[in-house]
Amino acid sequence: MDAGLKRELEAKVYAGERLTREDGIALYESDDLVWLGRLAHHRRTELNGERVMFNVNRHLNLTNVCSASCAYCSFQRKPGEKDAYTMRIDEAVRKAKEMEDEQLTELHIVNGLHPTLPWRYYPKVLRELKAALPNVKLKCFTATEVQWFEKISGLSADAILDELMDAGLESLTGGGAEIFDWEVRQHIVDHECHWEDWSRIHALAHRKGMKTPATMLYGHIEEPRHRVDHVLRLRELQDETGGFAVFIPLRYQHDFVDSADGKIRNRIQARTTMASPAESLKTFAVSRLLFDNVPHVKCFWVMHGLSVAQLSLNFGVDDLDGSVVEYKITHDADSYGTPNTMHREDLLNLIWEAGFRPVERDTRYNVVREYDPAPTLAERRAEPQQVWA
Ligand code: SF4
């Protein structure tokens, strides 16, 4: 990138001007990671100061049986496969109850598109979970699942969301977004929920008062222009509804360790490498700069590793996915040594050691507890530093 364009983009960011599609592509073309980080950190600090938000949640997958076979997915199983599972409702409740001692505030539930489970199962699970854990917020189902519920129930998304909210649903999850551009999407997504339905369902949730997350799966066969397009679609929708609370870039992962049957389910890994840490940091930074009307950008540390998660806090990120005690979708495909359990104390230390102030939040991003700011450099030098894998 030539110095003139760099100055022009810098001036726009510092003046708070909205960036264009061309600006986004130019930012991705820059190799000056430090410069990108500085710009994104400026915007992140304007919006969120030195805060890093987190919440104490548990991820629960009620079933891994799925009618679709998305090309990047190592989680799905077909009915009858050896490690296919579907939880009975009491089993799901028992698993959730195991987390009570962790002062759990949120359950994050996503699932395969099960071919024969009836629609009634889903509100029933929510009601039972809510009865067992009344103080826990339920963040459940992707827009893809809601569209699936339309198909299996014959009801509209409007009626489905009403019933799920009545059963205790606090928010949808942000998944199913992947990359919206059809040029890429047709090669990686096998279900029927694309931009039109995904955006319709989130906009509906926003009109009903929900704050929802939005994700983007990057680092596979897409190009930076597809990432820019993805964010600009979301930014436009956000202008209309204001209902997105957070944007979560998710790094595509290869299927290194498949379970007992030794099958590799991920069909695109022969065609792609995975995004490097530098590419991930760039993606966080450009996303923060382009998606100017979303309040938060999140790093889901399970997919990035803890060191990249700490670094991401200087590249536009102000939210870390919380105290995950068990997470199956990623860890069916992961052999990076990233722990799959993280508790409140670990997360606090991770944030303090990166130089930020931890803030515990709830599902709607209300502050639950503000912690002390990060210790000073002199205070930190007095203690041996922890090395995060
Ligand atoms: S990504 Fe979701 S919808 Fe696609 S195959 Fe995997 S579980 Fe099924």
Side-chain angles (χ1 to χ4, degrees):
M1 183 187 295
D2 69 56
L5 180 55
K6 227 171 167 176
R7 274 198 302 276
E8 206 181 292
L9 288 169
E10 216 170 279
K12 274 179 122 172
V13 170
Y14 287 115
E17 267 180 56
R18 178 159 273 194
L19 300 179
T20 64
R21 188 175 298 263
E22 292 69 35
D23 294 337
I25 290 168
L27 288 170
Y28 271 115
E29 280 168 3
S30 169
D31 287 328
D32 193 343
L33 202 56
V34 174
W35 176 73
L36 281 170
R38 201 167 58 238
L39 291 186
H41 195 62
H42 167 78
R43 184 67 187 135
R44 169 239 196 277
T45 308
E46 269 185 341
L47 289 166
N48 294 296
E50 293 303 303
R51 284 173 158 190
V52 173
M53 295 194 133
F54 70 96
N55 72 342
V56 181
N57 68 1
R58 173 166 183 148
H59 288 238
L60 197 65
N61 308 117
L62 300 169
T63 178
N64 64 353
V65 176
C66 188
S67 302
S69 301
C70 298
Y72 54 83
C73 180
S74 52
F75 171 69
Q76 53 86 16
R77 297 290 184 274
K78 297 302 164 213
E81 274 198 65
K82 202 165 62 187
D83 47 359
Y85 74 87
T86 301
M87 287 184 195
R88 292 188 317 275
I89 291 175
D90 61 334
E91 207 180 332
V93 172
R94 183 174 48 72
K95 277 207 154 235
K97 289 280 282 182
E98 282 166 17
M99 280 287 291
E100 261 190 322
D101 291 348
E102 300 278 341
Q103 294 170 290
L104 173 71
T105 63
E106 177 187 278
L107 268 172
H108 178 122
I109 301 180
V110 291
N111 318 289
L113 309 176
H114 195 290
T116 54
L117 261 184
W119 146 245
R120 305 301 322 163
Y121 169 86
Y122 299 94
K124 196 160 182 218
V125 178
L126 263 49
R127 280 185 208 286
E128 302 262 334
L129 286 170
K130 201 67 196 169
L133 299 161
N135 298 322
V136 172
K137 304 284 187 229
L138 300 176
K139 186 167 78 180
C140 313
F141 312 125
T142 60
T144 308
E145 289 179 85
V146 174
Q147 196 222 26
W148 179 253
F149 299 155
E150 289 184 290
K151 192 170 168 172
I152 61 174
S153 69
L155 297 170
S156 66
D158 192 55
I160 285 165
L161 290 183
D162 282 348
E163 173 139 16
L164 292 174
M165 287 170 81
D166 187 60
L169 182 72
E170 186 79 20
S171 169
L172 294 178
T173 68
E178 325 315 357
I179 288 285
F180 290 125
D181 192 317
W182 187 245
E183 197 181 347
V184 172
R185 194 172 184 85
Q186 62 183 312
H187 298 292
I188 61 170
V189 169
D190 184 46
H191 53 70
E192 289 166 16
C193 185
H194 307 302
W195 167 248
E196 295 70 20
D197 285 311
W198 195 97
S199 56
R200 168 179 66 86
I201 288 164
H202 276 267
L204 186 60
H206 298 166
R207 283 202 295 279
K208 290 178 184 293
M210 279 190 224
K211 291 285 180 194
T212 66
T215 62
M216 171 176 76
L217 186 72
Y218 72 92
H220 42 89
I221 59 170
E222 92 293 358
E223 294 172 21
R225 67 191 164 94
H226 300 118
R227 293 181 212 165
V228 170
D229 173 78
H230 189 91
V231 166
L232 293 192
R233 289 180 197 228
L234 291 168
R235 185 174 80 178
E236 202 176 311
L237 185 57
Q238 179 78 333
D239 279 339
E240 283 170 36
T241 70
F244 290 118
V246 60
F247 181 58
I248 316 164
L250 298 171
R251 186 172 78 139
Y252 157 81
Q253 296 201 315
H254 276 179
D255 193 359
F256 284 133
V257 179
D258 202 50
S259 51
D261 62 9
K263 273 190 204 160
I264 301 282
R265 288 175 171 77
N266 185 327
R267 299 195 308 283
I268 51 170
Q269 72 183 41
R271 295 173 59 193
T272 181
T273 55
M274 286 168 43
S276 65
E279 190 62 27
S280 293
L281 295 175
K282 187 188 270 193
T283 304
F284 284 122
V286 180
S287 300
R288 177 62 284 172
L289 291 167
L290 269 186
F291 204 163
D292 55 12
N293 52 1
V294 75
H296 305 284
V297 174
K298 181 194 279 192
C299 174
F300 184 37
W301 56 261
V302 179
M303 285 184 172
H304 293 273
L306 300 178
S307 301
V308 173
Q310 275 188 318
L311 278 170
S312 74
L313 303 177
N314 291 288
F315 283 78
V317 169
D318 67 286
D319 186 21
L320 292 177
D321 202 334
S323 185
V324 182
V325 164
E326 177 185 64
Y327 189 67
K328 293 185 79 65
I329 288 187
T330 296
H331 276 80
D332 277 3
D334 181 334
S335 71
Y336 303 105
T338 312
N340 64 356
T341 61
M342 192 75 165
H343 295 91
R344 187 190 305 267
E345 293 66 33
D346 301 320
L347 208 59
L348 291 175
N349 286 327
L350 186 95
I351 296 167
W352 276 320
E353 286 180 12
F356 293 87
R357 179 199 281 263
V359 175
E360 187 174 344
R361 63 165 175 83
D362 65 14
T363 304
R364 297 182 70 91
Y365 285 79
N366 298 311
V367 172
V368 173
R369 180 174 171 191
E370 192 132 8
Y371 288 83
D372 290 338
T376 63
L377 195 56
E379 286 165 338
R380 274 188 279 157
R381 280 197 183 122
E383 295 285 332
Q385 294 298 288
Q386 188 161 351
V387 176
W388 298 93

